[in-house]
Amino acid sequence: MADAERLTLAFLEAHPGDAARVLERLPTAQAAAFFAALPARTLAPALGAMLPIAAGRILAELSDEETVALLSALGTQPALSVLRHVPEARRTGLVAGLPATTAIASRLLLGYPDDSVGAWTDPEVVALPGDTAVEEVLDRVRAMRATLVEEVYSVGAGERLLGSIDLATLLRAPAQVALETLT
């Protein structure tokens, strides 16, 4: 691997937001060629940081296989934002190629009008009973590798929201403390 390639990969991984701004400024064909040349897992954070309309233009230039790999690596909510900028005829085929849970959530949320709350709901939140120990909460968060978790929601009887706890607070809390005591 050439030094320029290593530098590019390091920049993508360390600064996906900055990489997104650079990629948005490139001509669409050039950005698409870049996306076609690198692994989806490496590019997904930058794609997710891009303006959805710019990301949609780039995906229009890629094959369905490349596009599905990128969307799968993104996670449901960022993938939905981008899919809203893909022509509906192609979008249907792309959604069919996504992992089952992402495809189901995508079909459901894409059914809402763009200007409604339902269209922008995040289906991948972590909501656990208030009596769940911090240790178990962190194990569940770790198991959700494809999802970026910043907050965990504590729920009581009847799925009633008790509160939310940011990940930093959970990481500092004693392992056996119940979630409800941190809200």
Side-chain angles (χ1 to χ4, degrees), residues 31-108:
F34 182 76
F35 272 82
L38 293 172
R41 191 174 345 141
T42 302
L43 289 163
L47 182 70
M50 291 177 74
L51 294 171
I53 194 164
R57 281 195 300 264
I58 291 169
L59 295 183
E61 301 287 322
L62 299 176
S63 71
D64 285 356
E65 184 179 310
E66 292 166 326
T67 300
V68 167
L70 282 163
L71 293 172
S72 296
L74 266 182
T76 305
Q77 194 58 45
L80 283 168
S81 296
V82 174
L83 280 168
R84 290 185 180 285
H85 296 280
V86 172
E88 190 167 344
R90 184 166 187 228
R91 184 180 2 181
T92 303
L94 294 173
V95 169
L98 293 172
T101 55
T102 305
I104 291 167
S106 297
R107 282 188 201 99
L108 174 70

Side-chain angles (χ1 to χ4, degrees), residues 6-61:
R6 279 196 291 273
L7 180 61
T8 299
L9 291 174
F11 181 69
L12 276 168
E13 290 174 2
H15 305 284
D18 294 329
R21 301 295 78 82
V22 171
L23 290 165
E24 288 169 348
R25 289 188 213 114
L26 291 176
T28 302
Q30 188 178 355
F34 182 76
F35 272 82
L38 293 172
R41 191 174 345 141
T42 302
L43 289 163
L47 182 70
M50 291 177 74
L51 294 171
I53 194 164
R57 281 195 300 264
I58 291 169
L59 295 183
E61 301 287 322

